[in-house]
Amino acid sequence: MTTMTTRTVEYPADGLTMIGHLALPAGVGRRPAVLVGPEGTGLNDFQRRRADALAELGYVALAFDIHGGRWFTDPEEMMARCMPLLADPDRMRGIGHAALDVLRAEPRTDPDRIAGIGYGTGGAILLELGRDGVDLRAIGTVNALTTGRPGEAARIRCPVWTGVGSEDPIMPPAQRDAFAAEMQAAGVDWRLVVYGGALHAFHHPPVDQTVRPGVGYHPRHAQRAWHDVVDLLAECLPVTE
C-alpha cells in the first residue's frame, strides 16, 4: 500500500534560499495541487502538517517558505521582517511566483489545477498572486484581509474565501470593510467568514514566545476554519482519479 510522502525543496526567492515542504499523495498520477502560505512567523512543523493533511486528501501540497528557513519567536523581529514585505506587493508576488514555479515543476502536479490557501503573511502573498492575474482555482486565506493596489483585484480569476476573528485587532472591522469593498468592486466571487470571539492567529496553536496582545488560539474556530478551507478546495478543486 502506498502512502503520502514528503520532501524538502530549496529554491531562491527574495534574495534568500527558501526551504519549502512538499507533500505528495499516494499513487503516481497527476493530482490537483495547493500552495500553502504560512503565518508571518514563518514555516514550521504546524504548517508542514497542513500540507501533509492536504496530501492525505489527494492533493500535491507545497508549504512555502517566506523567511529563508527562519521561524521567528521574537514578535518584534518578525514585524521588522514582515511589515516591509507586506508593504511591497512586488516582493510578495516574487515570493509567491517562486513557490508556484516549484509546485508546477513537480511531475505529480496538474499545472492547470492549482489553488492557494494561506495564513497571515502567507495569505497576503496568495492574494497578490491573484491580483497579478495568476490562474488559480481558488484562494483561501485566514487573517489576511489585505487590500492591494487600486484596480488590480479585477485580475483575480477565481473564488476568494477569507476568514477572520471578530476580535482581531490587527484585522479590525474597518479593514474587513475595505477588503470586502475591494473584492465587490472588482466583481470577485468572494466570501468573508467572521469567527465570533476569536483573536488574531486563532487558527495556530499557542507558542509562548510569540504571545502578544490581540493574539490567541481558539481550538473550536481553528477546526472550523480548516474545515471551511477543505470545503473550498472540494468545491473549486475536487480530487478526481
Side-chain angles (χ1 to χ4, degrees):
M1 180 179 176
T2 58
T3 59
M4 180 270 294
T5 59
T6 66
R7 70 171 187 268
T8 298
V9 291
E10 295 190 6
Y11 58 97
D14 200 38
L16 302 168
T17 298
M18 300 299 186
I19 305 172
H21 176 82
L22 183 68
L24 301 174
V28 296
R30 285 190 167 185
R31 294 290 184 271
V34 183
L35 280 174
V36 182
E39 290 86 352
T41 48
L43 183 59
N44 67 3
D45 284 343
F46 181 68
Q47 290 92 349
R48 294 183 186 100
R49 287 195 294 271
R50 287 174 176 148
D52 295 349
L54 291 172
E56 295 286 1
L57 293 174
Y59 296 98
V60 177
L62 174 63
F64 63 86
D65 186 10
I66 58 176
H67 300 317
R70 293 197 64 186
W71 183 70
F72 292 103
T73 57
D74 181 341
E76 291 186 5
E77 196 175 9
M78 179 197 70
M79 295 298 283
R81 161 72 181 165
C82 287
M83 294 309 290
L85 177 61
L86 290 167
D88 191 335
D90 293 324
R91 279 183 66 197
M92 286 195 284
R93 292 177 187 187
I95 291 172
H97 276 289
L100 183 61
D101 288 346
V102 170
L103 185 58
R104 281 179 170 156
E106 164 54 46
R108 295 290 310 281
T109 295
D110 180 342
D112 295 322
R113 293 193 295 158
I114 297 176
I117 64 170
Y119 300 80
T121 301
I125 288 170
L126 291 171
L127 285 168
E128 281 305 321
L129 284 184
R131 294 184 183 107
D132 201 30
V134 172
D135 184 15
L136 298 173
R137 293 297 182 93
I139 298 172
T141 73
V142 182
N143 295 335
L145 296 175
T146 56
T147 51
R149 291 180 290 216
E152 291 190 342
R155 302 172 70 187
I156 295 175
R157 303 164 64 181
C158 64
V160 171
W161 176 95
T162 189
V164 66
S166 69
E167 307 309 301
D168 183 343
I170 300 172
M171 300 283 162
Q175 194 157 343
R176 290 181 225 159
D177 292 345
F179 180 83
E182 180 194 26
M183 294 296 112
Q184 186 65 21
V188 175
D189 176 1
W190 66 278
R191 284 171 282 175
L192 170 62
V193 175
V194 180
Y195 296 94
L199 297 167
H200 193 71
F202 70 87
H203 48 83
H204 197 294
V207 180
D208 290 341
Q209 301 97 314
T210 60
V211 171
R212 61 189 186 277
V215 173
Y217 181 48
H218 195 301
R220 189 179 307 115
H221 284 325
Q223 186 177 39
R224 288 168 173 165
W226 175 252
H227 288 161
D228 285 343
V229 164
V230 171
D231 287 347
L232 173 74
L233 295 175
E235 174 192 340
C236 300
L237 192 70
V239 175
T240 55
E241 292 298 328

